[in-house]
Amino acid sequence: MKKQEMAYDPQGNGYPVTDYHNDPIGSKLGFWIFLLTEMMMFGILFLLFAIYFYRHTEAFSLSSGQLNVWLGGTNTVILLVSTYTMGLSTMKMHQGKVRSASLLVGSTALLAVIFLSIKAIEWSADIQHGLYPGSAALSTLDQGEILFFGLYFTMTGLHGLHIIIGIILMSWALWLIHTEQIRPGHTAIMKNMTLYWDFVHIIWVILFPLFYMIGA
């Protein structure tokens, strides 16, 4: 017969270990450490943007005016709505409404795909106009404009990569829900996913005014 594993509190009281996969405190702490590294990475990029914006304010404003603020604004609204659906899905799972939670996770993933599609359309237009790092057209422009579009493609591309990771995580969560590995009372994964999606949304809320609004 397998020996029952025990965990002990600071007072020495023992408790039987029943589930290694539902440690909300440990998983949340680990995930916050992960998010901290992400914040540092984007923080460095935001600092670079601030330095170059200070040195090339006029060129950055002119370059910003060439971006499609309507597409950027639409994507901002899409991410706002998706943050709501993601948070609501975790709440529904807590309430035992598994089907509703599953539908909301699927809706969030769909909104993320729409976000990426719009971003792809926008990037395609920029590339057709030669506004991408290393292009002959961009190399003839002012240094400030070259820096602006270099940062634009780097930072929005990195953000887009996080959106793709989010879609993969949501697909994984849907499979876990389908196989009942995520269920009411075992929602640590969904809570972390909601936290991750909030982070992705906040990064975009900062990127949008930096790249799209300074030239408006």
Side-chain angles (χ1 to χ4, degrees):
M1 182 176 176
K2 186 178 179 182
K3 185 179 177 182
Q4 174 67 59
E5 294 187 59
M6 302 292 288
Y8 297 89
D9 64 18
Q11 287 73 40
N13 300 314
Y15 302 93
V17 176
T18 58
D19 191 348
Y20 279 115
H21 302 287
N22 191 36
D23 179 8
I25 296 176
S27 66
K28 187 174 288 187
L29 177 63
F31 204 76
W32 270 109
I33 293 172
F34 163 72
L35 283 185
L36 183 63
T37 63
E38 293 283 290
M39 289 177 197
M40 290 170 65
M41 179 180 65
F42 276 103
I44 291 170
L45 290 171
F46 287 135
L47 181 61
L48 274 178
F49 184 97
I51 293 170
Y52 288 133
F53 177 68
Y54 176 75
R55 292 181 177 176
H56 306 279
T57 304
E58 187 176 347
F60 269 46
S61 297
L62 286 172
S63 303
S64 172
Q66 297 183 58
L67 299 181
N68 191 321
V69 70
W70 291 105
L71 290 181
T74 302
N75 265 348
T76 303
V77 174
I78 287 171
L79 272 192
L80 278 170
V81 175
S82 72
T83 303
Y84 174 75
T85 55
M86 190 66 231
L88 196 59
S89 69
T90 301
M91 191 178 78
K92 292 291 183 186
M93 182 59 76
H94 265 297
Q95 295 172 347
K97 299 175 181 176
V98 178
R99 180 172 171 75
S100 296
S102 179
L103 287 173
L104 285 164
V105 172
S107 301
T108 308
L110 179 62
L111 288 168
V113 170
I114 295 172
F115 176 96
L116 283 180
S117 301
I118 291 175
K119 198 69 210 160
I121 292 170
E122 193 181 355
W123 269 27
S124 297
D126 294 333
I127 290 171
Q128 283 178 0
H129 289 94
L131 299 175
Y132 60 91
S135 72
L138 190 64
S139 62
T140 62
L141 300 180
D142 179 84
Q143 186 187 9
E145 293 175 277
I146 296 172
L147 287 169
F148 176 88
F149 282 104
L151 285 170
Y152 166 72
F153 276 97
T154 300
M155 295 174 77
T156 59
L158 194 57
H159 179 265
L161 179 62
H162 282 71
I163 294 279
I164 292 172
I165 292 170
I167 294 170
I168 294 170
L169 289 174
M170 288 173 213
S171 302
W172 178 52
L174 285 174
W175 179 76
L176 292 177
I177 292 172
H178 178 70
T179 56
E180 298 185 351
Q181 295 180 68
I182 293 179
R183 56 189 185 277
H186 292 69
T187 57
I189 292 175
M190 287 191 67
K191 285 180 180 175
N192 283 340
M193 198 179 304
T194 301
L195 198 58
Y196 174 82
W197 202 245
D198 280 342
F199 171 77
V200 170
H201 155 248
I202 289 170
I203 291 297
W204 180 257
V205 166
I206 299 172
L207 288 175
F208 176 66
L210 285 184
F211 285 109
Y212 293 85
M213 301 299 290
I214 58 174

